[in-house]
Amino acid sequence: MLSQNLYQLCKCLFLHNLKLNSVNVARRIHSSSEKRSDSESKEQTGQKCETEELPQNTENSNFGRLHIPVMLEEVVKCLSPQPGQRFLDMTFGAGGHTTALLEKASGITVYALDRDPTAYKIAQQLSEAYPKQIQPLLGQFSQSEALLISSGVEPGTLDGVLLDAGCSSVQFDTPERGFSLQKDGPLDMRMDSDRYPDMPTAADVVNALDQQAIASILRTYGEERHARKIAAAIVQARSIYPITRTQQLASIVAGAFPSSALYARKDLLQRPAHIATKTFQGLRIFVNDELHELFIGLRTAEKFLKPGGRLVALSFHSLEDRIIKRFLHGIDMTEKYNLGSKQKIRQALRNSSRGEGRQESPCGKSNLKWTFIQKKVLTPQAKDIQTNPRGRSAKLRAAIKI
Ligand SMILES: C[S@@+](CC[C@H](N)C(=O)[O-])C[C@H]1O[C@@H](n2cnc3c(N)ncnc32)[C@H](O)[C@@H]1O
């Protein structure tokens, strides 16, 4: 059992998340399309990724194998790199998007941020292939402002920012990181455990928090409608043995349901998804404070983009997409969910204090701060889903800072 201190830490983290998170904890909405956005199972594929060991040379193809960049064509098109421009890739991962930007035009500079030291090492290696064009930055979105400033980047000066939310295949496919419910490993799920070894792991959360708090995490961050039942099963199981392994947790969750329910849920490709998928998503988001981080990341992107600079944000589940959508439309994150999106956009425009001279577009295409590059959210093409099923739930939103 974990110490009282750790329990308090988890609880503090939980309350901090609830308070700061731009997602309203109590009021969840499910639009019919979002209901099926089973993004957490980005990992539910047979996509192969060797090991966490880094490739020995920096040839692009080697990095590409670690994580297939999602909607690459669309991302590059929306960012529209021009010779000499400067970009921030807030989620460098294995560098697929960064490489494509560097290849698209000459003299591009990319500030390559990631909270994961493994990604940072990949960025360092890749920077050898693109001398002076990649500036690796190790840190979270919430630390990116300070990192950029200390790298000599002034607010309002970047030409483009990419934010490709969530986890990379490098993380999912390394069982020791504890993200995968398919491969057994320690129940960890922290993206930057090397940097913050004292931060709570997913195991700490399931072993230390009370049943109600666990249910709340699963409901809020996993959008798991059986959260109470799963939390009860977790609490019962941990009274016998501490829960320390990913497969152990997957079995405990599965044990709370009849065997027919184990793979009864379907992912976006109508493939069976394990009943514990949403539990894993909820824990991962909570442990990494992902939604709060996302909101801070978007604010930092806006601050460092120049007028005319482009933001591309990729999300993989409805919680992330809702934050991005609201941010770009200027909708208050605490706004009621039951307003239609056009009503919310109109309300955001009405609420704006800088009302003079603004242009209200009837289709909500622009607000005060952003012009949308395309009217509708982009999703992956069928051919991309075929080659990279992990990216199937992606939603791309792109906008130009006014
Ligand atoms: C989906 S992957 C990005 C993949 C990348 N675009 C590529 O082409 O390889 C997301 C990456 O963002 C990083 N990440 C997630 N949340 C972060 C945060 N709050 N701050 C910094 N990096 C974060 C993860 O560590 C992960 O490497």
Side-chain angles (χ1 to χ4, degrees), residues 173-188:
D173 293 336
T174 308
E176 300 73 40
R177 305 290 301 265
F179 289 101
S180 172
L181 65 79
Q182 304 292 0
K183 299 171 190 156
D184 193 35
L187 189 56
D188 190 324

Side-chain angles (χ1 to χ4, degrees), residues 214-230:
I214 295 171
S216 193
I217 289 169
L218 303 188
R219 194 178 309 113
T220 306
Y221 301 114
E223 300 192 286
E224 173 55 73
R225 62 180 187 279
H226 298 298
R228 280 166 65 178
K229 188 177 181 166
I230 295 171

Side-chain angles (χ1 to χ4, degrees), residues 67 219 280:
H67 174 94
R219 194 178 309 113
F280 273 61

Side-chain angles (χ1 to χ4, degrees), residues 42 67 69 89-97 113-116 119 139-141 162 164-168 171 191 293 316:
K42 244 172 134 186
H67 174 94
D89 183 347
M90 300 196 86
T91 48
F92 176 82
H97 288 116
L113 177 85
D114 207 292
R115 68 192 289 176
D116 187 330
Q140 302 169 353
F141 299 156
L162 170 64
D164 175 13
C167 278
S168 74
Q171 293 162 331
M191 291 185 196
E293 276 288 317
F316 295 88

Side-chain angles (χ1 to χ4, degrees), residues 187 234 243 245-253 279-280 283:
L187 189 56
I234 287 172
I243 305 166
R245 310 285 302 176
T246 53
Q247 296 270 286
Q248 187 189 1
L249 178 62
S251 308
I252 291 164
V253 175
T279 297
F280 273 61
L283 290 170

Side-chain angles (χ1 to χ4, degrees), residues 34 69 95 213 357 391 401:
E34 283 169 341
K401 183 174 160 182

Side-chain angles (χ1 to χ4, degrees), residues 322-356:
R322 201 175 297 145
I323 291 173
I324 295 165
K325 184 164 80 183
R326 285 180 165 225
F327 181 82
L328 291 175
H329 284 291
I331 300 166
D332 191 323
M333 296 291 167
T334 58
E335 190 63 75
K336 276 189 183 156
Y337 286 142
N338 54 7
L339 292 177
S341 40
K342 281 192 185 154
Q343 280 176 292
K344 278 183 255 176
I345 292 160
R346 263 186 244 117
Q347 188 157 319
L349 288 164
R350 257 201 312 276
N351 291 346
S352 167
S353 53
R354 290 184 288 150
E356 278 177 48

